Amino acid sequence: MPAVLNFPDLSPILFEINLGPVHFALHWYALAYIGGFLIGWFLILRALKATRLWAADTPPLTKPEFEDLLTWLILGVILGGRLGYVLFYKPGYYLSHPIEIPMVWQGGMAFHGGFLGVIIAALLWGEKHKKPLLSLGDLLAMATPPGLLLGRIANFVNAELWGKPWDGPWAVIFPGETAQACANVGPLCARHPSQLYEAGMEGLILGALILALVWGTKAFKRPGLIMGLFFAGYGISRFIVEVFRQPDAQFVTAANPNGTVLLGMQMGQLLSLPMILIGLYFMLRAKRT
């Protein structure tokens, strides 16, 4: 068998406490959410203080307004992330165990649900306070990649969302019966660590590009540019990484082992196309004010 990497001895739980009938466990994924918020909060405050970045040297928000918005965003990401996980991944289980739906400390958050929750919260807050939505979107887009980076690393720690079978030099032998259920591979199945690919592309590279444009150019003076770049960049990154990710099980059959759904594309790639087009639209229409 070619040289591959064994999955490191990592637990999805950072620590846990048992106090009689009360059990509390802090998962790495929850910590990724917290860390992403803290880094994003720091980046936004720095950008709001740097008046030179904005048209007419006027940031779209004050610090108190951002702190008020942050409350909405926290609620949006928690509610959206949890409801997304409940509805998209385990609807049957939570339908029969509804009391466990609010137990976010047990793990179970969906990125797409949390992302949608943030968008809805920001739109509602922006409309309520009559704020420029494009500039608001630029701020949030700048702050999002660090959370993506940490979230994908947490996916790796959780040994979930792994890639397709592979025998390359950095292939990883993920634990678990499902991860090891590879046809015509034995005795151990190694896979692409696609979570780390996403962490690098969606978090590190895209985040560095956005920060370079924000602080090195006048990108914020063109409302919608950074938001468009984020949408397009995330969509392109996800489209590429889907080549290496394990396809969704519901689309995989004996006749369709790659789980393609349309024109040779997997569902993740198909869903990425609208993000790319929306991002390009906002980038092209961005104008100096």
Side-chain angles (χ1 to χ4, degrees):
M1 182 178 181
V4 294
L5 304 175
N6 286 312
F7 186 77
D9 185 17
L10 298 172
S11 170
I13 300 176
L14 179 60
F15 69 84
E16 51 188 329
I17 300 173
N18 290 299
L19 299 174
V22 178
H23 174 74
F24 173 81
L26 179 61
H27 291 247
W28 284 104
Y29 201 69
L31 191 63
Y33 266 78
I34 296 171
F37 257 111
L38 291 177
I39 297 173
W41 177 59
F42 170 77
L43 291 175
I44 288 177
L45 287 182
R46 285 288 305 274
L48 292 177
K49 289 180 180 179
T51 57
R52 66 177 179 83
L53 299 178
W54 305 95
D57 295 332
T58 305
L61 303 175
T62 63
K63 182 179 178 181
E65 287 174 334
F66 170 64
E67 291 172 347
D68 181 45
L69 170 62
L70 187 61
T71 302
W72 287 57
L73 296 180
I74 292 174
L75 290 175
V77 73
I78 293 175
L79 292 176
R82 185 59 171 177
L83 291 177
Y85 180 80
V86 169
L87 295 175
F88 301 151
Y89 293 97
K90 292 186 176 181
Y93 175 83
Y94 286 105
L95 186 62
S96 58
H97 300 80
I99 194 172
E100 295 186 24
I101 292 178
M103 297 181 182
V104 293
W105 55 87
Q106 293 184 355
M109 299 284 281
F111 166 75
H112 290 91
F115 185 61
L116 183 60
V118 165
I119 292 177
I120 293 174
L123 286 174
L124 292 175
W125 187 91
E127 287 290 347
K128 178 181 178 181
H129 296 277
K130 307 301 180 185
K131 294 296 179 179
L133 297 181
L134 290 179
S135 292
L136 189 59
D138 287 338
L139 268 175
L140 297 179
M142 177 194 66
T144 299
L148 291 175
L149 172 63
L150 296 176
R152 294 310 181 189
I153 293 176
N155 288 145
F156 179 81
V157 173
N158 290 346
E160 59 188 5
L161 305 181
W162 17 257
K164 296 175 180 178
W166 187 48
D167 61 359
W170 57 84
V172 176
I173 301 173
F174 289 97
E177 182 178 347
T178 306
Q180 290 300 309
C182 303
N184 303 319
V185 176
L188 295 174
C189 177
R191 296 177 176 274
H192 282 282
S194 56
Q195 316 96 320
L196 300 183
Y197 301 170
E198 290 193 71
M201 295 184 68
E202 301 167 5
L204 191 60
I205 296 175
L206 180 58
L209 176 59
I210 287 175
L211 288 178
L213 289 176
V214 167
W215 291 95
T217 71
K218 299 179 180 179
F220 274 168
K221 296 180 184 290
R222 301 175 62 184
L225 177 62
I226 294 300
M227 180 177 66
L229 175 60
F230 172 77
F231 276 114
Y234 177 86
I236 292 171
S237 299
R238 185 64 182 267
F239 192 95
I240 294 173
V241 172
E242 283 293 324
V243 174
F244 306 99
R245 280 185 61 165
Q246 182 71 10
D248 296 321
Q250 62 267 35
F251 301 114
V252 177
T253 64
N256 184 24
N258 292 322
T260 57
V261 293
L262 181 67
L263 300 177
M265 293 184 291
Q266 297 175 186
M267 180 57 74
Q269 293 175 312
L270 193 61
L271 294 175
S272 296
L273 290 180
M275 292 193 68
I276 297 172
L277 295 175
I278 291 171
L280 292 176
Y281 167 76
F282 279 111
M283 291 175 68
L284 291 174
R285 75 182 295 273
K287 298 179 180 179
R288 295 185 183 276
T289 57

